[in-house]
Amino acid sequence: MTANLPPQYDPQATEAKWQKYWEDNQIFKADPEKGGEPYCVVIPPPNVTGSLHMGHAFEETLIDVLVRYHRMTGRNTLWLPGTDHASIAVQTILEKQLKAEGKTRHDLGREKFLERAWEWKAESGNTITNQLRSLGVSVDWSRERFTMDEGLSAAVLEAFVRLYDEGLIYRGNYLVNWCPASQSAVSDLEVDQQEVEGHLWHFRYPLTDGSGYLEVATTRPETMLGDTGVAVNPQDDRYKHLIGKTVTLPIANREIPIIADEFVDPTFGTGCVKVTPAHDPNDFEMGKRHNLPFINIMNKDGTLNENAGEFQGQDRFVARKNVVQRLETDGVLVKIEDYKHTVPYSERGKVPVEPLLSTQWFVKIDPLSQRALKELDQNNSPVFVPDRWTKVYRDWLVKLKDWCISRQLWWGHQIPAWYAVSETNGEITDTTPFVVAKTEAEAREKAKGKFGQDVELARDPDVLDTWFSSGLWPFSTLGWPDETKDLEFYYPTTTLVTGFDIIFFWVARMTMMAGHFTEKMPFDTVYIHGLVLDENGQKMSKSKNNGIDPLLLISKYGTDALRYTLVKEVVGAGQNIRMEYDRKTDESKSVEASRNFTNKLWNAARFVMMNLDGQTPQQLGNPSGEDGWELCDRWILSRYYQVVQQSRNCLENYGLGEAAKGLYEFIWGDFCDWYIELVKSRLQQDAEPNSKKVAQQTFAFVLEGILKLLHPFMPHITEEIWHTLTQTGDNQCLALQAYPEPDISLIDPELEQQFELLFGTIRTIRNLRADSDIKPSVKVTAILQSESEKERQIISDGGVYIQDLAKVENLTVTASLDADLGQTIAGVVGTVQVLIPLAGVVDLAALRAKLEKKLSKVEAEIKHTAARLTNQKFVDKATPDVVQGARDALAEAEKQAEILRDRLKLF
């Protein structure tokens, strides 16, 4: 059967075909029973509400390159997919839907609301996983997980109850990030720090004894209603004599102490700081250190409460204006300054978060972080790539505080705590006693023992922070707490690929949870990648509206082209990459270049197959020196094995971008541009049979090797070409073939260097021909002069290639030149002088006239453009773009004139 590829490559049809084939045939289904060396990656679970953005495309492509490579090297590979339930995001979507219907979640009740949430998940929650399929990711879809599926929910219950029983989870009153819009505590990761143009209000607190006042400044004047102290630095000579005295808080007329604390920066502002322990994280710590009262002035909806006096019921920002007005009326407002500062916003609620005292559930971090620190310091586990992130990770573990894990939401893992509300008049209060259990039945048995048979229970309405469940992800997805074969064989996982922005929030959570529950770090290596920046080098974000849709680029150029672009742009592990993009046309030159590469590979493969006389690489047999390799066969095999070695080294050491670039240069340059041209004459019908066979063997062998090397980066086109080349049926696929091994004995650096001289000579002759307008069909005489015997030998050995590719009829290689060679055109490559006699080949007079005419035209253009640029009216009235365009045109014309003058000197 003759192997043929269609004339044109159709990425959409090809990619859809192989994505379906891989999934339908469960090509990537993992099997721990097969043994071997495991290679396991768990996907960083995207939010179930999400849709594929460029960050996803980048991350999943990097992972897929690693997974496909290690699978081809023979490792027992599992890439486990899944999604995160995204409590706040899903709840926000549903509450918007209910609001449009004139309802709230409370109108539905918890049970009906959750039914609606699961319906939404069934209808819309698979969007991102279907989009991931379009990337061709080689995941095991049979093991797809969801953080609220039955198994993972059981793992969350197990983890919570164990930690509580061990005294590592507690319920307490603490300062948390509070989102008034969603009326829930939010994690640090759910807070977006935004720089805003605000104000700094200065006002005076009079000393109670009437001897003067202290001036303080704040960006949140409404919080002064909750002040319980004023702090100064103990070493600040301006205020030492006031420490221990009191001031009278304006408006509230409350007497509050002046305290000394090292936290206060004496050089900032006046050196006096108002202390509001219930509404600022730093003040909270100072309040604890100095036993100050904690006065909460805010309701959970962002309005002020009864502790705000006359401002009760006012929205916090309305109250801000009114407090400032009252301070001005009372004569204690000193000044208002414009002030640019950072304000934390709730990522989901889109409003500034409020530090708020609230009774929440917390995890004691210190025992967990200490274990992770011990693994890092004693065993360098996990290993971070690049290494600079090790210190960042370590510093974060050292600074971690207790983790608030409760969220005032309904969608998520409901906290497994039941309150004995019969002890507190049927309500859950801060002091209501409770029991923790995996089930209500178990909780009831526990409660009866404590509070009697008639105890009335109510379950905690809050849910757990999503980072709690995703902190268990590397082992819960493999079956923990059950002792499954997957957990036994694939855990710890091998590599985590993730962005630097969640080292603190996810990576550290996983290492702490895994260390505690499995006594192992959850992964060997953490590969930290950078960001995909927009065309201007800016971080993509919804607020900037500067995202680039990967699905649009896939539909225009194909998945493989986008994948290859994303990986090839990476220079050094962890570096950001910039995506070229034209927003007017939705085009990308860099992705287009990768699409052109796929076309180059396709056309080269077509040419190879058209010249194999219908034989497959297996039928032809591997090339062997015994069959009579020619010089160019030995050269391409040396280059091929160099690239095999380079690709393996790069991929083993996370040099993905370097591997991609090396393959590009070898395939486009060495194989397509040179080797194909070098062997064309040996593939003709009248070619010497053995030489033709060796060329075909080498052709087929190197092409199949290229497909294997390139497969992790461009899986679809390589799979398609490989099946056509090898004529393998559906029972095999390229994705499961062995990755090439280097044959060191065939790597010949000296030969490769010799070919660089040959190629340089061919390029020089071609350039000289072009400069002299010698027609492609005309063969020339070339004289190559070098004093080096070695160079002359190299040129002589490769003379047939020079004659063939540079259209040279008579080739002379000499140590010295005759005195009179007539009119020649000359060039140099290395220390070799290249000369082409022009007599009888070119009409010198006609050529000179042609060059003079071109030069005259260019000089006229230079004169005209220079005159425009010296015209001040033009420079003043034209737009900067037009003026710059004229300057660029002048520079280009002057360059062309210089080239033409140099060429005229030759004739």
Side-chain angles (χ1 to χ4, degrees):
M1 181 178 176
T2 302
N4 289 314
L5 288 173
Q8 299 294 324
Y9 174 53
D10 181 352
Q12 277 69 34
T14 301
E15 289 166 359
K17 167 186 169 182
W18 289 111
Q19 287 160 15
K20 185 176 187 303
Y21 169 87
W22 292 324
E23 189 167 348
D24 288 352
N25 291 278
Q26 295 191 315
I27 296 299
F28 308 123
K29 184 174 174 62
D31 182 2
E33 299 287 356
K34 287 186 177 178
E37 184 182 1
Y39 185 87
C40 180
V41 176
V42 289
I43 198 170
N47 284 350
V48 71
T49 56
S51 58
L52 193 74
H53 58 60
M54 197 59 78
H56 292 134
F58 183 44
E59 185 168 87
E60 311 317 334
T61 297
L62 293 174
I63 298 172
D64 199 46
V65 170
L66 291 171
V67 170
R68 286 180 181 271
Y69 165 72
H70 284 288
R71 185 183 290 114
M72 293 178 77
T73 62
R75 296 181 73 171
N76 187 331
T77 305
L78 167 62
W79 182 8
L80 192 147
T83 48
D84 186 273
H85 62 274
S87 289
I88 293 179
V90 171
Q91 185 136 339
T92 301
I93 289 170
L94 296 176
E95 290 189 334
K96 281 182 180 177
Q97 291 177 358
L98 290 171
K99 187 176 181 181
E101 298 168 17
K103 300 176 184 175
T104 70
R105 59 174 159 142
H106 300 286
D107 294 328
L108 267 67
R110 187 174 195 127
E111 188 176 336
K112 292 291 184 185
F113 179 83
L114 291 177
E115 283 179 13
R116 186 158 177 160
W118 281 107
E119 286 171 4
W120 177 90
K121 162 71 170 65
E123 293 171 6
S124 306
N126 295 324
T127 297
I128 193 159
T129 51
N130 289 332
Q131 291 171 338
L132 283 173
R133 284 172 162 86
S134 71
L135 282 174
V137 292
S138 60
V139 302
D140 181 351
W141 289 110
S142 72
R143 282 175 167 82
E144 184 178 358
R145 303 307 300 265
F146 176 54
T147 45
M148 281 178 60
D149 68 29
E150 186 178 343
L152 268 61
S153 295
V156 168
L157 282 174
E158 178 75 21
F160 186 97
V161 172
R162 273 203 214 176
L163 288 171
Y164 178 78
D165 288 346
E166 293 165 2
L168 295 177
I169 281 182
Y170 64 93
R171 187 170 183 254
N173 202 260
Y174 205 77
L175 203 67
V176 297
N177 295 316
W178 186 264
C179 171
S182 62
Q183 293 195 36
S184 173
V186 294
S187 74
D188 291 336
L189 187 62
E190 293 154 350
V191 172
D192 181 22
Q193 301 291 341
Q194 296 184 18
E195 192 171 65
V196 300
E197 299 285 350
H199 297 93
L200 194 62
W201 287 270
H202 293 250
F203 40 88
R204 296 173 181 145
Y205 286 3
L207 292 162
T208 308
D209 62 10
S211 62
Y213 61 83
L214 290 180
E215 183 180 320
V216 299
T218 182
T219 59
R220 299 158 67 215
E222 70 282 4
T223 62
M224 59 87 62
L225 299 169
D227 284 0
T228 58
V230 174
V232 298
N233 190 287
Q235 305 305 318
D236 194 331
D237 291 335
R238 293 172 296 175
Y239 304 117
K240 278 183 178 179
H241 65 291
L242 297 176
I243 296 169
K245 290 190 174 187
T246 62
V247 295
T248 301
L249 183 65
I251 303 178
N253 291 319
R254 188 165 61 244
E255 193 173 341
I256 59 177
I258 299 170
I259 62 172
D261 197 288
E262 294 284 354
F263 171 77
V264 180
D265 180 0
T267 66
F268 179 76
T270 62
C272 297
V273 176
K274 59 188 284 300
V275 184
T276 320
H279 292 282
D280 182 270
N282 296 318
D283 294 4
F284 178 82
E285 297 298 331
M286 273 198 284
K288 287 197 297 183
R289 284 196 292 272
H290 298 277
N291 296 312
L292 298 178
F294 285 67
I295 300 175
N296 174 28
I297 63 163
M298 198 163 294
N299 295 313
K300 291 184 176 180
D301 62 357
T303 61
L304 271 57
N305 64 20
E306 67 278 5
N307 292 327
E310 66 190 79
F311 305 100
Q312 182 180 356
Q314 296 181 9
D315 177 80
R316 53 185 170 155
F317 298 117
V318 173
R320 176 175 296 179
K321 293 177 183 177
N322 293 335
V323 166
V324 171
Q325 189 174 19
R326 171 69 186 276
L327 292 170
E328 187 173 19
T329 301
D330 291 351
V332 295
L333 180 67
V334 179
K335 61 181 176 179
I336 303 173
E337 295 178 314
D338 290 335
Y339 186 64
K340 184 182 285 188
H341 63 120
T342 301
V343 174
Y345 273 71
S346 168
E347 195 175 72
R348 299 297 179 185
K350 308 301 181 189
V351 297
V353 298
E354 198 66 45
L356 191 70
L357 269 179
S358 178
T359 299
Q360 303 285 347
W361 290 89
F362 294 88
V363 172
K364 287 184 180 177
I365 282 295
D366 194 57
L368 306 181
S369 61
Q370 287 303 314
R371 182 170 200 128
L373 276 168
K374 183 179 178 182
E375 285 289 342
L376 183 69
D377 292 343
Q378 293 186 3
N379 303 318
N380 191 30
S381 178
V383 173
F384 279 81
V385 178
D387 180 62
R388 65 178 181 273
W389 291 109
T390 305
K391 184 179 185 303
V392 175
Y393 166 71
R394 190 185 192 287
D395 289 348
W396 184 256
L397 286 174
V398 169
K399 295 173 185 174
L400 276 175
K401 297 176 182 177
D402 285 0
W403 170 19
C404 175
I405 56 172
S406 45
R407 299 289 179 266
Q408 287 62 56
L409 303 165
W410 285 354
W411 173 248
H413 295 104
Q414 192 171 355
I415 290 173
W418 281 262
Y419 296 88
V421 291
S422 48
E423 303 292 306
T424 51
N425 299 317
E427 293 184 355
I428 299 175
T429 70
D430 288 355
T431 58
T432 304
F434 58 86
V435 293
V436 168
K438 293 179 186 176
T439 65
E440 185 173 357
E442 185 184 328
R444 188 161 297 280
E445 288 304 310
K446 285 185 176 181
K448 283 178 182 178
K450 286 186 175 183
F451 310 109
Q453 292 294 320
D454 297 329
V455 66
E456 183 186 346
L457 294 181
R459 187 169 181 177
D460 194 311
D462 292 352
V463 300
L464 287 165
D465 175 16
T466 51
W467 294 106
F468 189 90
S469 52
S470 59
L472 309 173
W473 186 254
F475 49 99
S476 64
T477 52
L478 294 171
W480 185 91
D482 295 334
E483 293 291 334
T484 64
K485 288 186 177 179
D486 276 3
L487 188 67
E488 180 186 356
F489 185 76
Y490 291 113
Y491 185 82
T493 66
T494 316
T495 307
L496 175 72
V497 179
T498 189
F500 61 82
D501 49 343
I502 58 172
I503 291 176
F504 327 120
F505 308 108
W506 189 42
V507 178
R509 300 270 194 267
M510 289 188 286
T511 57
M512 289 189 296
M513 292 289 221
H516 184 76
F517 289 118
T518 73
E519 300 185 347
K520 298 174 183 176
M521 287 296 95
F523 21 72
D524 299 331
T525 303
V526 182
Y527 171 47
I528 300 293
H529 61 72
L531 301 173
V532 183
L533 305 177
D534 72 4
E535 67 277 17
N536 299 312
Q538 300 294 311
K539 181 180 178 180
M540 296 186 203
S541 68
K542 289 181 181 178
S543 59
K544 292 179 183 176
N545 195 30
N546 65 336
I548 300 172
D549 185 357
L551 296 171
L552 189 152
L553 294 176
I554 285 173
S555 66
K556 191 180 287 274
Y557 302 110
T559 297
D560 283 347
L562 177 64
R563 286 172 55 117
Y564 199 70
T565 302
L566 291 171
V567 180
K568 192 163 76 76
E569 294 296 320
V570 179
V571 181
Q575 298 302 306
N576 294 339
I577 66 170
R578 187 174 70 86
M579 176 64 72
E580 287 187 85
Y581 190 61
D582 186 330
R583 292 187 184 274
K584 293 179 181 177
T585 61
D586 288 326
E587 294 175 339
S588 169
K589 287 185 178 178
S590 54
V591 185
E592 183 181 358
S594 294
R595 194 272 315 276
N596 294 343
F597 181 46
T598 64
N599 290 338
K600 182 85 169 179
L601 175 64
W602 184 265
N603 291 331
R606 282 191 79 234
F607 178 82
V608 171
M609 284 185 246
M610 288 166 57
N611 286 280
L612 296 183
D613 297 331
Q615 298 177 91
T616 66
Q618 290 71 28
Q619 291 167 339
L620 285 163
N622 289 344
S624 166
E626 296 175 4
D627 296 327
W629 278 330
E630 297 190 13
L631 203 61
C632 67
D633 302 325
R634 290 197 290 113
W635 167 76
I636 195 63
L637 288 169
S638 177
R639 288 293 306 123
Y640 168 70
Y641 284 121
Q642 282 273 27
V643 170
V644 170
Q645 192 173 48
Q646 176 190 339
S647 298
R648 279 181 164 270
N649 288 341
C650 288
L651 290 171
E652 291 289 345
N653 294 288
Y654 298 94
L656 279 66
E658 291 82 352
K661 281 189 278 289
L663 287 171
Y664 181 93
E665 291 163 4
F666 171 71
I667 295 166
W668 191 298
D670 296 335
F671 187 70
C672 295
D673 285 355
W674 287 114
Y675 187 67
I676 287 178
E677 296 302 316
L678 289 168
V679 299
K680 272 183 179 178
S681 60
R682 294 164 59 193
L683 300 169
Q684 304 300 319
Q685 290 294 330
D686 57 351
E688 195 277 317
N690 191 62
S691 177
K692 180 178 181 179
K693 181 187 175 185
V694 172
Q696 288 175 325
Q697 287 177 327
T698 309
F699 237 169
F701 175 79
V702 175
L703 176 60
E704 186 176 9
I706 282 171
L707 298 174
K708 292 174 181 177
L709 292 171
L710 192 59
H711 179 74
F713 303 91
M714 288 183 161
H716 306 90
I717 188 172
T718 52
E719 189 78 74
E720 178 73 13
I721 296 172
W722 183 82
H723 271 264
T724 310
L725 174 67
T726 61
Q727 291 298 290
T728 302
D730 285 348
N731 60 329
Q732 292 189 53
C733 67
L734 175 58
L736 300 180
Q737 299 303 303
Y739 202 78
E741 298 265 7
D743 185 340
I744 306 300
S745 68
L746 293 179
I747 295 177
D748 188 341
E750 186 176 346
L751 179 64
E752 292 179 32
Q753 196 172 11
Q754 292 172 9
F755 266 78
E756 283 304 307
L757 178 61
L758 292 175
F759 295 150
T761 304
I762 292 166
R763 278 190 290 264
T764 302
I765 295 173
R766 286 173 171 176
N767 291 338
L768 292 174
R769 290 177 63 105
D771 287 345
S772 306
D773 281 1
I774 299 172
K775 294 177 182 179
S777 58
V778 174
K779 292 197 171 186
V780 298
T781 293
I783 301 164
L784 308 177
Q785 181 268 326
S786 174
E787 295 179 1
S788 165
E789 183 178 349
K790 183 178 180 180
E791 283 187 338
R792 293 198 303 274
Q793 187 62 51
I794 292 168
I795 293 168
S796 297
D797 290 344
V800 64
Y801 303 134
I802 296 172
Q803 288 184 273
D804 195 14
L805 271 59
K807 298 290 181 67
V808 173
E809 187 170 20
N810 300 306
L811 179 67
T812 301
V813 181
T814 180
S816 58
L817 295 172
D818 294 336
D820 184 17
L821 294 172
Q823 185 72 51
T824 61
I825 187 168
V828 175
V829 53
T831 59
V832 177
Q833 190 172 183
V834 181
L835 298 97
I836 298 177
L838 296 177
V841 177
V842 177
D843 185 335
L844 297 179
L847 178 58
R848 183 173 185 83
K850 184 177 178 181
L851 293 174
E852 286 173 341
K853 185 177 180 180
K854 280 186 181 179
L855 178 60
S856 178
K857 185 177 179 180
V858 172
E859 286 175 336
E861 184 182 336
I862 291 170
K863 185 177 180 181
H864 172 71
T865 307
R868 288 180 77 199
L869 289 169
T870 54
N871 183 339
Q872 199 58 42
K873 287 183 180 179
F874 166 75
V875 174
D876 292 341
K877 290 183 179 180
T879 64
D881 287 348
V882 171
V883 174
Q884 187 58 48
R887 288 181 179 139
D888 292 344
L890 178 61
E892 180 60 29
E894 287 174 338
K895 185 178 178 181
Q896 287 181 17
E898 185 180 351
I899 291 170
L900 288 166
R901 291 189 191 103
D902 287 342
R903 289 181 66 188
L904 278 166
K905 289 176 185 176
L906 299 172
F907 307 111

